[in-house]
Amino acid sequence: MKMPFMQAVKERVLVLDGAMGTMLQERGLKPGQSPEEMNLTAPEVVAGVHRAYLEAGADIIVTNTFGGTKAKLEHYGLGDQVTRINAEAVRLAREVCGENAYVAGSIGPTGRFVEPVGDMSFDEAYGMFQEQAKALIDAGADLISLETFLDIKEIRAALIAIRDLSADIPVIAMLTFEEKGRSVLGSPPEAAAITLEAAGASLVGSNCGLGVDGIYDILCAMRKVTSLPLISQANAGLPVLKDGVTVFPGTPDEMTAYHDRMIGLGVRVIGGCCGTTPAHIRAIKDALAEKQTPFVPKEDDGTTWISSRGSFAPMGAKHPAALIGERINPTGKKLYSQELREGKVSYIRREALEQTELGATLLDVNVGTPGIDEPAAMERAVFCITGAVQTPLVLDSSSPEALERGLKAADGKVLINSVNGEEKSMAAVLPLAKKYGAAVVCLTLDEAGIPVEADGRVAVAQKVAERAAQMGIKRSDIVVDCLTLTVSAEPKGGLVALEAVRKVSELNLNTTLGVSNISFGLPCRPLISSTFFSMALAAGLTSAIVNVKEAPMMAAWRSAMVLLGKDVNAAGYIDAYKGLAVTASTQPASAAAGAPVEAAVEPEGIRGRLAKAVINGELEGVVALVEEALAQGLTPMEISSEALLVGLDEVGKRFGNGSFFLPQVMVSADTMKAAFARLKNELATGALKSIGKILMATVEGDIHDIGKNILVTLLENNGFEVIDLGKNVPAAKILDAAREHQVDAVGLSALMTTTMAQMDKVVTLLKSEGVKSFTMVGGAVVTQQYADEIGADLYAKDAMEAVARIKELLAK
């Protein structure tokens, strides 16, 4: 009888098996055939793969269910077979390995992005993952392996769905990263690890995309923010074309070269992804035989980690005090309140951009206005902010329904503001924090109100922390608001708050305060507020809700961080204030996210405003700006080439230098689309001419089209006419369409290694038939070397690069 999986992980490093697709392809899997269907039609073939890996020494056998969600199976007419296919896969694996290995139920991505980047809702993703997970768990899988995910939001939905089924089943959660060290949608390893641990993962790590050296770098970054065991599932090198067949050059010996470093890092499961075979797994098993050591988890230093899709922020321990931007709150803001009633988000986007640029670590999001649908408004706000900036969020609402809607809409681990010591509040909020993997602000009040003395507030904090611990919420995920009472009405209010901060800090709990409340009703409020802020920081305050636009507040924070030793070598202070004279209003300049582009446009002129609208993704206002430009006499071509495309070019530059990521690019693309929609009449009359005609297709056998669809959108917004043939397109159909439409270029996409060879087939066919169009190739598994080998004219590693390179190629 084998021991429980997580106990085994703590005692020794386990070996997970290798590539399933590679092995099935060798055993007769045809291009365009569903690998998962073979569980029903060719069970002996699937069982043979499992047996080969078991005999090679694998401790974990992964089921043939990577594409076993309804979304994937529907492509093959198998959408009604989810339970049967997944259950049969578990049965096959169990039959082969018995009690000699663990059976991991494989779950891969759906092939779609979750809103607002894609069209799939959180609830839709949740439902599909829960359906597959239930089938795997009911059939007896020992654990679940979430693998090869590109979107942190999608894998988060999968984790939440699984944890609603079972709090106990071990879950491995892996994202795929690119050579730049981020996922396709811009998640760094640290943000991924924070989000996945919070959502309930048992082990975190990375698979596919990179070789073992690249995976090691990813896991090093993850280890900085998580104490969970890690998993490495690397490819056998990067794919190359040899004699018309895609092969992976990584040898078994190369796969074991990083073992000592991996084990020292806390890697407890090592396996293989694309291109790995039983020979690789045997080498891994043999290399680990003399290297087994117990797992020593990383010590928890009490840091509260908050994350977004593309960023992460610490609170507490040795880190600088976090600044929570308070401006996205309708209290006293008539314009914002009116926009909320009208369902608009312009104010939210503007404040998100400005507060982020001025140094906000987190953004408080409050949409509480009478007479609105608060849950819907919260969702809109979260979608808007996550499309504009990478700053992690604080969801601020007294409505559990609004909080849950915001938690579903969020990309990462958020901070809920707030819970308090009342039984009703704890019963409503803490389960949401646990389910969705959030930290939570604890207000130190209960049914009796706000305790007058500090000890009473500390007691409330203790009560909430203990209740949270009973539910499985870590102590470091409770942030205590000791409450700031206005000193004009409560003369001792400031002193009591400071004493409470000191005492709560001694309990190893992080703290926050709404600092500006202290000065309500007094003249020159920033003077009182900033002084109190400095005193609170000295008392141990680890975060504060502040107006980052107030120079005295920011000056107090920067100065205190130097004096408290949290700004090493005063680097942040010097960077902010070098060359500035000291005045009461000193506030360092900051390059706004929507700063004027470098091109020759007047920043405040209509061209500059249009460009800025594209950069910032101002979807609501761009059409009005187009109307204004037309009224000023600009031609549609001038609007396009001298404003809109200038903005989109700047978006491309920022994507290239790593300051923008794919979600922001897609928001900018939607803004461009809205602007072009207004100009469609002029386009129909030829005022706006296409700069090229592009045929796009995902090659035969491949049902993945996320990357292709992104490129189609960007090509159209850059002035190209695009003929999109969709996915799983045969070479002959691509040839016929290229001839019919007389295209300038043919773009081919492939995500799977098993379909890469189809690109070679298409390129060869187009050349042999005399088609003069350029060819370009791309996809997660495609490389420049592969493009050169098949004779493609162009390769691009991402959509933005593809647009730039096809422009350059056609210009020649």
Side-chain angles (χ1 to χ4, degrees), residues 264-589:
L265 199 60
V267 173
R268 305 305 291 175
V269 177
I270 299 177
C273 202
C274 297
T276 53
T277 65
H280 293 87
I281 299 307
R282 185 173 293 107
I284 291 172
K285 182 74 171 183
D286 291 345
L288 288 172
E290 303 300 324
K291 301 178 186 295
Q292 295 291 359
T293 58
F295 176 58
V296 180
K298 174 178 174 285
E299 185 177 351
D300 186 353
D301 64 1
T303 300
T304 302
W305 292 103
I306 310 297
S307 63
S308 65
R309 181 192 299 278
S311 185
F312 58 99
M315 188 183 300
K318 62 183 181 296
H319 307 285
L323 299 175
I324 303 172
E326 68 181 15
R327 296 277 304 166
I328 305 176
N329 187 314
T331 302
K333 301 181 183 70
K334 292 182 179 179
L335 174 62
Y336 180 27
S337 296
Q338 183 61 32
E339 284 197 0
L340 286 171
R341 285 189 284 270
E342 295 173 356
K344 296 180 179 179
V345 292
S346 296
Y347 174 89
I348 295 172
R349 179 180 291 104
R350 183 171 63 253
E351 284 296 336
L353 288 164
E354 292 179 1
Q355 289 185 101
T356 295
E357 288 301 312
L358 288 169
T361 315
L362 304 135
L363 295 175
D364 189 80
V365 186
N366 187 310
V367 295
T369 296
I372 68 165
D373 182 344
E374 188 174 348
M378 181 65 82
E379 180 183 73
R380 278 195 302 273
V382 172
F383 283 169
C384 169
I385 296 169
T386 55
V389 297
Q390 301 296 315
T391 315
L393 301 182
V394 180
L395 301 185
D396 186 354
S397 176
S398 59
S399 163
E401 294 78 17
L403 286 175
E404 184 162 24
R405 192 80 164 266
L407 288 163
K408 289 180 180 181
D411 293 333
K413 177 185 177 184
V414 307
L415 179 61
I416 294 174
N417 189 9
S418 56
V419 68
N420 61 54
E422 295 179 3
E423 187 62 36
K424 179 181 178 181
S425 177
M426 290 189 289
V429 177
L430 291 180
L432 291 176
K434 175 60 178 173
K435 175 174 179 173
Y436 292 99
V440 62
V441 171
C442 164
L443 302 183
T444 50
L445 60 87
D446 56 16
E447 288 85 354
I450 301 174
V452 175
E453 301 298 332
D455 286 342
R457 299 183 194 184
V458 173
V460 174
Q462 279 279 49
K463 178 172 70 172
V464 175
E466 289 170 4
R467 176 68 66 84
Q470 292 170 8
M471 299 183 63
I473 299 172
K474 294 196 306 181
R475 193 172 184 83
S476 59
D477 283 336
I478 301 297
V479 179
V480 180
D481 187 339
C482 296
L483 298 176
T484 308
L485 302 182
T486 177
V487 73
S488 60
E490 297 285 344
K492 293 184 178 181
L495 294 174
V496 171
L498 294 174
E499 183 183 358
V501 167
R502 291 189 189 95
K503 291 187 173 183
V504 169
S505 298
E506 292 170 358
L507 299 175
N508 197 30
L509 288 167
N510 289 320
T511 53
T512 195
L513 286 172
V515 177
S516 61
N517 293 341
I518 195 74
S519 61
F520 187 79
L522 295 174
C524 297
R525 291 186 60 189
L527 297 179
I528 291 287
S529 297
S530 60
T531 301
F532 176 68
F533 189 19
S534 296
M535 295 170 71
L537 291 168
L541 188 70
T542 55
S543 70
I545 304 169
V546 298
N547 182 358
V548 295
K549 294 183 177 182
E550 289 185 354
M553 297 297 288
M554 296 301 288
W557 174 73
R558 292 191 179 97
S559 302
M561 292 303 97
V562 173
L563 297 173
L564 293 171
K566 294 189 175 183
D567 182 0
V568 179
N569 298 322
Y573 182 91
I574 292 170
D575 185 59
Y577 294 116
K578 59 187 176 185
L580 292 183
V582 178
T583 69
S585 60
T586 297
Q587 176 77 313

Side-chain angles (χ1 to χ4, degrees), residues 487-804:
V487 73
S488 60
E490 297 285 344
K492 293 184 178 181
L495 294 174
V496 171
L498 294 174
E499 183 183 358
V501 167
R502 291 189 189 95
K503 291 187 173 183
V504 169
S505 298
E506 292 170 358
L507 299 175
N508 197 30
L509 288 167
N510 289 320
T511 53
T512 195
L513 286 172
V515 177
S516 61
N517 293 341
I518 195 74
S519 61
F520 187 79
L522 295 174
C524 297
R525 291 186 60 189
L527 297 179
I528 291 287
S529 297
S530 60
T531 301
F532 176 68
F533 189 19
S534 296
M535 295 170 71
L537 291 168
L541 188 70
T542 55
S543 70
I545 304 169
V546 298
N547 182 358
V548 295
K549 294 183 177 182
E550 289 185 354
M553 297 297 288
M554 296 301 288
W557 174 73
R558 292 191 179 97
S559 302
M561 292 303 97
V562 173
L563 297 173
L564 293 171
K566 294 189 175 183
D567 182 0
V568 179
N569 298 322
Y573 182 91
I574 292 170
D575 185 59
Y577 294 116
K578 59 187 176 185
L580 292 183
V582 178
T583 69
S585 60
T586 297
Q587 176 77 313
S590 177
V597 297
E598 295 178 4
V601 295
E602 288 295 328
E604 299 307 318
I606 188 59
R607 292 174 177 82
R609 289 158 60 205
L610 274 165
K612 184 176 177 180
V614 172
I615 295 167
N616 289 346
E618 297 173 12
L619 185 59
E620 289 176 353
V622 74
V623 173
L625 288 174
V626 171
E627 297 281 7
E628 185 178 337
L630 290 170
Q632 289 185 18
L634 271 68
T635 67
M637 182 59 72
E638 288 171 333
I639 294 171
S640 173
S641 62
E642 298 177 12
L644 299 174
L645 289 176
V646 169
L648 198 59
D649 283 345
E650 178 65 14
V651 170
K653 292 177 184 177
R654 297 186 186 193
F655 181 81
N657 66 27
S659 60
F660 266 25
F661 303 100
L662 193 55
Q664 291 160 292
V665 171
M666 296 308 293
V667 171
S668 293
D670 287 340
T671 304
M672 284 284 291
K673 190 178 296 184
F676 277 132
R678 168 60 188 88
L679 298 173
K680 66 181 179 180
N681 292 333
E682 286 78 4
L683 179 63
T685 59
L688 288 173
K689 298 186 183 299
S690 168
I691 63 174
K693 189 182 294 186
I694 313 294
L695 178 70
M696 291 295 302
T698 300
V699 295
E700 185 174 12
D702 207 316
I703 60 172
H704 304 88
D705 62 354
I706 288 177
K708 174 188 66 64
N709 293 343
I710 292 169
L711 179 54
V712 167
T713 298
L714 294 179
L715 285 169
E716 290 174 338
N717 285 331
N718 274 273
F720 290 95
E721 179 184 349
V722 181
I723 296 92
D724 184 2
L725 298 185
K727 54 196 171 188
N728 192 19
V729 185
K733 184 175 179 180
I734 295 172
L735 172 65
D736 291 344
R739 283 172 166 166
E740 176 187 351
H741 296 283
Q742 295 292 297
V743 297
D744 297 297
V746 175
L748 306 173
S749 175
L751 182 70
M752 304 190 307
T753 57
T754 54
T755 58
M756 285 173 65
Q758 290 296 316
M759 288 181 165
D760 185 22
K761 181 178 179 180
V762 174
V763 172
T764 300
L765 180 62
L766 291 172
K767 289 182 178 180
S768 67
E769 293 295 324
V771 175
K772 301 299 183 183
S773 304
F774 293 113
T775 53
M776 57 180 180
V777 295
V781 293
V782 183
T783 63
Q784 181 66 61
Q785 181 181 352
Y786 183 82
D788 293 340
E789 289 174 351
I790 66 175
D793 298 300
L794 181 153
Y795 160 77
K797 63 181 180 296
D798 55 56
M800 293 300 292
E801 181 179 286
V803 172

Side-chain angles (χ1 to χ4, degrees), residues 23-44:
M23 298 287 283
L24 291 180
Q25 189 178 19
E26 292 177 356
R27 288 161 168 74
L29 176 67
K30 298 178 177 60
Q33 181 183 0
S34 165
E36 291 72 28
E37 188 179 18
M38 295 182 75
N39 296 329
L40 307 179
T41 61
E44 69 286 352

